[in-house]
Amino acid sequence: MTARTSLTVVLAAGEGTRMRSRLPKVLHQIAGRAMLAHVLAAAPRGASDKVAVVVGPDHQAVSDEARRVSLDATTFVQRERLGTAHAVLAARDAIAKGADDLLIVFGDTPLIDASTFERLRAPLRDGAALVVLGFHAKDPTGYGRLLVEGDRLLGIREHGDASEAERKITLCNAGVMAMDGKTALQILDRIGNGNSKNEYYLTDAVAIVGELGRRAVVIETGEDEVRGINTKSQLAEAEQVMQAKLRTAALEAGVTMTAPETVFLAADTTFGRDVTIEPFVVFGPGVSIADGAVIHAFSNIVGANIGKNASVGPYARLRPGTVLGDNTRIGNFVEVKAATIDAGAKANHLTYIGDAHVGEGANIGAGTITCNYDGVDKHRTEIGAGAFVGTNSSLVAPVKIGAGAYIGSGSVITRDVPDDALAVERSAQTVKQGWAKRFREMKLRGRKAKD
Ligand code: UD1
Ligand code: MG
């Protein structure tokens, strides 16, 4: 049997006015990833699966994000917001290609799980024309109520159109649906806008399926998974749900965390075996941590590959483009950006390494700064294997420190240093014998004279 083909249509045309932000709603992030990207990651993505995203006018950034996540995603613009069914029909050209399963999901329900899409598709195989994802809402106000009889779904009543009795129903429409792709357009084209909002309601598809003599069913899920995000408070709540999920997954994968509730993960953070993360560590996107690495407390890590048995922090900041080799040590108040630190190299205290390469086993003394920016351009610093950079040195890029070279403490290095050489750049030390003693005595004499 060949795999059933699918098309997932993501409705992402919402302005998100209540987010009070210039950013389109679906681009707001949860666990370091746009809501839209979470939804796209959950949608079926095999060779026989396609994705269409319906965006609002002037939402180029939403289309860009869709294509960044799913290279082959097609985007469609809904010019006027005339309702959810109208939004789906913006993707008419994609739907007309007739995938076996048409999946519809809102771009602002980022906690949706991939397995749910599979559960929704199953009844289509048995001849159902429409499968709706339902959940029991603690407070159903505002949601469409599911009108069911036995295992059949007869209709969905939007809150504004529901009777007193119907409003008592707590089984609600999550907004995620699966439709028989072959009859989808026939169903969608029959939806009218004769309701209290004069909108084309996708939910009317249920009654139409009944009129066509076909079957509509409900699949249930928990409320957490289908939280819709309309406000910053809801965004923060969803973040908590997502963090709890990510922490549990990390613990189950064998990561040691003594206070997981204080660790903030990104959706794409990956861990090897026997990784330890101390309390109060924050991860942004793009971080991988190899076997045996330890991330000490209060570190902030974004876009970094951390090698085996590396030690990071406490209070380290790793910025995008950081690659730490095996057994490296990045200590307290060290910042690394766009730099590769080879195996066994150390920067244990108070250092900035940016746009640089640090060779194997090099030792970067406390207070070393790579001066990578001249106010206009960025420049690179190369530090050879086994080099020793004395404390409080400034390496003014572009500059190369040779393998095994030695930089005297407090130097400002502006020219390349050959392999195994010593470079010192500071004025000669002056020593005046007995000066301090004479100075003290003079001061004390002065004080006595005043008394
Ligand atoms: C919708 C459902 C309701 C369900 C609820 C779940 C309908 C008619 N109602 O109601 O049954 O309980 O979601 O959260 O479907 N959108 C567009 N273009 C439009 C209108 C909407 O792209 O013209 C998008 C919105 O950006 C949003 C989604 O569709 O992502 C849902 O629209 P919204 O207005 O939030 O519908 P609800 O009233 O919440
Ligand atoms: Mg809504």
Side-chain angles (χ1 to χ4, degrees):
M1 204 180 81
T2 53
R4 287 173 71 93
T5 57
S6 81
L7 169 69
T8 303
V9 176
V10 184
L11 304 191
E15 289 288 337
T17 333
R18 290 171 64 207
M19 298 292 267
R20 311 251 183 276
S21 166
R22 254 198 269 266
L23 195 65
K25 177 159 82 170
V26 297
L27 295 185
H28 287 268
Q29 294 196 344
I30 289 179
R33 182 187 266 178
M35 287 199 250
L36 176 64
H38 280 283
V39 174
L40 289 171
R45 301 183 68 173
S48 47
D49 304 305
K50 296 218 158 7
V51 175
V53 181
V54 177
V55 305
D58 311 317
H59 277 182
Q60 186 58 41
V62 179
S63 307
D64 292 348
E65 174 66 4
R67 270 191 289 267
R68 192 185 66 78
V69 180
S70 282
L71 271 185
D72 58 348
T74 45
T75 55
F76 297 88
V77 179
Q78 184 195 24
R79 303 217 169 271
E80 279 179 292
R81 279 176 58 88
L82 300 180
T84 44
H86 180 262
V88 175
L89 281 171
R92 176 184 293 277
D93 291 351
I95 299 168
K97 291 190 178 132
D100 296 321
D101 303 343
L102 172 65
L103 299 161
I104 299 163
V105 57
F106 299 157
D108 65 355
T109 49
L111 301 175
I112 191 82
D113 200 81
S115 63
T116 300
F117 284 108
E118 291 318 308
R119 287 208 294 143
L120 283 174
R121 295 176 73 180
L124 296 180
R125 248 173 266 141
D126 304 329
L130 178 61
V131 188
V132 171
L133 186 63
F135 69 103
H136 282 281
K138 277 188 213 81
D139 174 13
T141 313
Y143 287 114
R145 308 302 206 283
L146 301 188
L147 312 177
V148 290
E149 205 176 87
D151 64 347
R152 285 200 162 221
L153 175 62
L154 303 181
I156 303 180
R157 192 78 73 234
E158 287 308 301
H159 186 85
D161 303 304
S163 67
E164 273 308 306
E166 286 167 340
R167 287 191 179 177
K168 295 215 164 66
I169 299 172
T170 59
L171 185 61
C172 292
N173 171 27
V176 187
M177 289 186 184
M179 271 195 200
D180 170 18
K182 300 284 185 286
T183 41
L185 279 181
Q186 194 190 335
I187 295 165
L188 292 167
D189 278 331
R190 284 179 63 157
I191 293 175
N193 64 351
N195 49 55
S196 60
K197 286 196 187 164
N198 290 108
E199 281 190 7
Y200 295 86
Y201 285 166
L202 181 58
T203 45
D204 286 350
V206 177
I208 291 167
V209 163
E211 286 161 29
L212 293 173
R214 298 283 303 275
R215 196 156 54 92
V217 295
V218 183
I219 295 280
E220 281 189 42
T221 190
E223 185 162 9
D224 268 349
E225 189 188 353
V226 291
R227 283 166 184 270
I229 312 302
N230 296 315
T231 65
K232 289 286 172 74
S233 296
Q234 290 167 340
L235 185 72
E237 284 163 22
E239 179 77 46
Q240 280 189 34
V241 174
M242 180 64 79
Q243 288 299 335
K245 229 166 117 173
L246 294 170
R247 289 166 189 148
T248 303
L251 291 165
E252 273 167 16
V255 175
T256 299
M257 291 190 273
T258 47
E261 71 281 9
T262 66
V263 173
F264 289 81
L265 298 164
D268 63 353
T269 312
T270 64
F271 314 95
R273 291 179 73 88
D274 295 308
V275 166
T276 299
I277 303 171
E278 289 186 355
F280 300 103
V281 174
V282 177
F283 293 96
V287 176
S288 67
I289 310 168
D291 298 357
V294 180
I295 315 297
H296 295 281
F298 299 103
S299 295
N300 185 302
I301 302 176
V302 183
N305 295 335
I306 298 170
K308 286 185 187 158
N309 303 315
S311 169
V312 175
Y315 297 99
R317 179 170 186 210
L318 304 184
R319 292 169 53 200
T322 295
V323 179
L324 302 186
D326 297 349
N327 303 307
T328 47
R329 303 185 75 78
I330 299 298
N332 40 272
F333 306 106
V334 174
E335 174 179 346
V336 184
K337 183 215 72 165
T340 298
I341 316 281
D342 288 346
K346 293 182 211 155
N348 274 330
H349 344 257
L350 302 157
T351 284
Y352 172 62
I353 303 173
D355 300 300
H357 170 223
V358 177
E360 206 173 315
N363 191 314
I364 310 296
T368 298
I369 305 290
T370 54
C371 309
N372 60 331
Y373 187 47
D374 59 15
V376 181
D377 293 312
K378 299 279 169 66
H379 302 281
R380 286 190 60 80
T381 300
E382 282 285 340
I383 299 173
F388 183 97
V389 179
T391 58
N392 205 28
S393 296
S394 300
L395 308 178
V396 182
V399 72
K400 282 195 178 117
I401 312 298
Y406 204 103
I407 306 297
S409 298
S411 296
V412 177
I413 300 297
T414 52
R415 282 180 292 129
D416 290 355
V417 180
D419 292 357
D420 296 319
L422 164 70
V424 199
E425 190 284 333
R426 60 182 183 229
S427 44
Q429 183 169 324
T430 317
V431 175
K432 296 186 177 170
Q433 294 291 352
W435 183 93
K437 191 160 179 265
R438 290 196 298 278
F439 176 74
R440 268 193 306 273
E441 283 164 2
M442 179 188 80
K443 292 298 260 189
L444 286 173
R445 272 201 303 278
R447 190 174 281 177
K448 273 206 190 109
K450 262 194 213 155
D451 289 346

